Amino acid sequence: MSILPTISFAKPTTIKKGVAILLAGEGALQDGQGGDIDPSGVLVRAAETATFKGKKKESFNVLAPHGSAAERIIVIGIGKLDELTNADWLAFGGVAKAMVGDAPIVTLLPHDAMGADEASLLAQGFWLRAYSFKKYKKTPKPGDKEERKGQKLTIQCADAAAAKKKWGDDEGVARGVMLARDLVNEPANILGPEEFASRAGALDALGVDVEILTEKDMKKLGMGALLGVAQGSVRPPRMVVMKWNGGKAKDKPIAFIGKGVTFDTGGISIKPSAGMEDMKGDMGGAAAVTGLMHALAARKAKVNVIGIIGLVENMPDANAQRPGDIVTSMSGQTIEVINTDAEGRLVLADALTYCGEKYKPQMMINLATLTGAIMVALGKHYAGLFSNNDDLAAQLTAAGEATGERVWRMPIGPEYDKMIDSKFADMKNIGGRWGGSCTAAQFLKRFVGETPWAHLDIAGTAMASPANDINTSWGSGYGVRLLDQLVADVYEA
Ligand code: BES
Ligand code: MN
Ligand code: ZN
């Protein structure tokens, strides 16, 4: 992981050195606003020269004004003050990080619109933007800038104590996001099912109870759908159950389930080679669940949570399953495997059944890089949301707007159900050319019973999504903040 800036919060005071960051609302940079960091009053003129209007995320940079204790002043626009969302404050933090680079001492000056919660969000945005995955960049090239270490960001705000307390939570969430990014960025030779499971096992340090099911355990449980996918790989599958008991003992848990295909070649229905390297990220759902468990445990969420991830590698091999094979899932339902590349739903089928039967959760949400078709439908800015419960769908949509990890509801229904009926078995694992994301969701629905459930198809958002203010990494960590927000808003309220 990247070297993260040290964050602190302080009451407003005069600064002595380093880079100063000033926030300015729309049209609000006035004479004297720079105070003692701008004794000669250059900022207003500099803003004019830069045609700075204080619009959201607009910015400019001034070098060492005469008589200032700051070496550099950066002004960042925050737009209309009555319109600011949490996602905006995160973005301002990200813009701030991009502007200051590796400058060792950075102070963000107070602003009336920035209370304790906003200050903490800003710090979170700064951190998330600071993330980069350089683990395998070992040999510096001539001309490379040496990464400076030990950046310190101080955020000045009136209620510094409250900001610090909030950061205690937000820091945990940021670390959860970065854990998910690390897992997605890691190549598949390093991170197979066993290695992923042992990384998840490390969550016990935070008080998460982690149980790892082996192939033998899964055979006993009758998980024929998951095991059929795994049988083409020399690397054995794993299922990891993570439990966080932060609620009352009698409270039914909520559950999150993730697709963890550590590499998806397609199996015997092999994928074309161009771009196949991206399939190291086919465990983005499992990464999000693991990152979420980290986040919830780190901030000691007052709720009982189960996280389950199904970990397999989908390979073509002499022992791999064939198109036409019929497998029996843990639920007892049989599946004709028409296409071995539609493997994620096979893994999830058994993970969902296991979760529902064993833990009887009040609600289940699964995350999966499930279909290429979801990107055709929605592009890479929204995850596809499928649900059997309108309240849950609305709550997820609201959490998406609040965090900027947006979802868009897609349909399920009897028409799609018919498309996956099979000639030989209870169902087949693909539904034909049209509505590929919908038939995949419909398949999953056959394994959730009456439990309120949502499926998030994150094929477009978990990896290789366009860089933004708070993420420049290939693996985005999508889903961790979204679900953390949902838990806080709905299940801890
Ligand atoms: N892991 C893929 C989906 C995917 C594709 C994720 C591109 C991210 C980027 C999934 O296992 C898959 O192969 N789906 C097939 C389904 C098809 C065989 C019905 C697809 O989308 O082509
Ligand atoms: Mn596949
Ligand atoms: Zn896949």
Side-chain angles (χ1 to χ4, degrees):
M1 206 196 283
S2 3
I3 311 148
L4 291 167
T6 310
I7 308 280
S8 58
F9 301 89
K11 286 201 184 302
T13 171
T14 51
I15 74 161
K16 303 209 170 52
K17 56 180 171 182
V19 180
I21 305 176
L22 205 62
L23 304 176
E26 200 159 306
L29 193 65
Q30 270 134 23
D31 265 329
Q33 194 188 335
D36 51 9
I37 57 161
D38 183 26
S40 45
V42 303
L43 278 183
V44 170
R45 260 193 307 129
E48 271 164 27
T49 314
T51 64
F52 175 86
K53 299 276 191 299
K55 293 218 164 74
K56 262 182 207 175
K57 303 195 274 182
E58 223 187 320
S59 61
F60 72 94
N61 209 324
V62 178
L63 206 65
H66 185 68
S68 170
E71 292 151 25
R72 198 148 64 97
I73 304 176
I74 288 166
V75 182
I76 298 175
I78 61 172
K80 295 203 176 72
L81 303 186
D82 52 356
E83 287 179 358
L84 296 174
T85 63
N86 286 358
D88 286 329
W89 287 99
L90 280 169
F92 301 150
V95 171
K97 172 60 189 166
M99 295 286 292
V100 301
D102 285 337
I105 297 173
V106 181
T107 308
L108 190 122
L109 300 175
H111 190 285
D112 286 344
M114 184 179 68
D117 288 3
E118 290 79 18
S120 174
L121 283 170
L122 203 144
Q124 196 186 47
F126 197 92
W127 255 33
L128 291 174
R129 179 63 178 257
Y131 173 93
S132 70
F133 186 76
K134 297 221 185 84
K135 190 173 169 187
Y136 302 101
K137 292 264 185 198
K138 300 269 192 195
T139 325
K141 292 198 192 72
D144 273 0
K145 258 208 297 187
E146 205 186 310
E147 199 179 357
R148 264 203 271 176
K149 291 169 186 143
Q151 184 173 55
K152 288 201 170 75
L153 169 67
T154 306
I155 300 182
Q156 295 191 353
C157 72
D159 200 348
K164 191 175 171 193
K165 184 154 179 282
K166 179 73 170 21
W167 176 239
D169 290 350
D170 290 349
E171 172 183 351
V173 176
R175 287 194 188 276
V177 174
M178 291 189 267
L179 170 59
R181 287 179 183 172
D182 277 346
L183 289 166
V184 173
N185 285 328
E186 201 69 70
N189 59 329
I190 305 296
L191 196 80
E194 290 172 290
E195 293 82 7
F196 194 132
S198 65
R199 295 243 195 148
L203 291 183
D204 67 4
L206 293 172
V208 178
D209 176 33
V210 185
E211 196 186 330
I212 300 175
L213 307 189
T214 62
E215 202 171 0
K216 203 169 133 211
D217 301 323
M218 290 187 271
K219 266 192 191 131
K220 238 186 262 164
L221 287 160
M223 295 186 173
L226 182 149
L227 291 169
V229 178
Q231 78 188 32
S233 172
V234 295
R235 301 162 101 175
R238 291 288 182 265
M239 185 172 290
V240 182
V241 182
M242 297 165 267
K243 288 179 233 160
W244 168 251
N245 295 315
K248 300 194 189 82
K250 63 164 178 37
D251 292 348
K252 270 193 180 184
I254 55 176
F256 300 96
I257 299 98
K259 167 179 172 182
V261 177
T262 58
F263 195 80
D264 181 12
T265 62
I268 295 300
S269 314
I270 197 162
K271 288 179 179 296
S273 53
M276 203 203 277
E277 66 278 11
D278 281 0
M279 285 301 110
K280 72 173 184 177
D282 206 19
M283 27 54 72
V289 170
T290 309
L292 175 67
M293 295 307 289
H294 179 109
L296 295 173
R299 68 172 186 78
K300 302 204 167 17
K302 291 189 177 50
V303 61
N304 298 331
V305 191
I306 304 288
I308 297 187
I309 55 180
L311 300 166
V312 300
E313 186 178 55
N314 189 21
M315 297 292 267
D317 177 79
N319 192 48
Q321 69 179 344
R322 294 145 290 255
D325 283 6
I326 295 176
V327 295
T328 304
S329 67
M330 182 183 170
S331 73
Q333 300 175 91
T334 56
I335 306 162
E336 185 186 8
V337 180
I338 302 289
N339 189 317
T340 65
D341 196 12
E343 84 297 341
R345 62 199 77 180
L346 298 170
V347 173
L348 285 172
D350 284 337
L352 286 164
T353 301
Y354 183 68
C355 182
E357 283 186 9
K358 174 123 197 205
Y359 297 104
K360 307 208 167 17
Q362 50 169 314
M363 166 289 267
M364 306 199 272
I365 296 177
N366 74 258
L367 300 103
T369 50
L370 203 63
T371 65
I374 201 66
M375 293 184 261
V376 178
L378 299 177
K380 296 182 75 70
H381 296 283
Y382 286 82
L385 160 64
F386 300 82
S387 182
N388 61 2
N389 186 290
D390 292 344
D391 290 336
L392 180 56
Q395 289 156 353
L396 274 164
T397 303
E401 291 305 317
T403 54
E405 293 192 333
R406 291 171 298 172
V407 300
W408 195 264
R409 192 161 183 191
M410 301 278 290
I412 45 176
E415 303 84 351
Y416 301 110
D417 218 35
K418 249 187 105 174
M419 293 167 75
I420 51 171
D421 283 339
S422 153
K423 242 192 308 228
F424 298 105
D426 295 337
M427 70 195 86
K428 54 187 178 184
N429 75 332
I430 57 169
R433 184 160 157 68
W434 308 113
S437 302
C438 305
T439 47
Q442 197 69 48
F443 182 97
L444 298 180
K445 187 176 178 292
R446 292 189 179 202
F447 298 88
V448 300
E450 298 305 312
T451 311
W453 155 81
H455 152 54
L456 297 172
D457 194 333
I458 60 171
T461 53
M463 62 220 186
S465 39
N468 61 35
D469 294 314
I470 57 168
N471 181 47
T472 61
S473 154
W474 186 78
S476 67
Y478 178 96
V480 176
R481 289 186 306 107
L482 169 73
L483 297 174
D484 176 73
Q485 183 85 38
L486 177 85
V487 170
D489 288 351
V490 180
Y491 298 96
E492 289 182 282

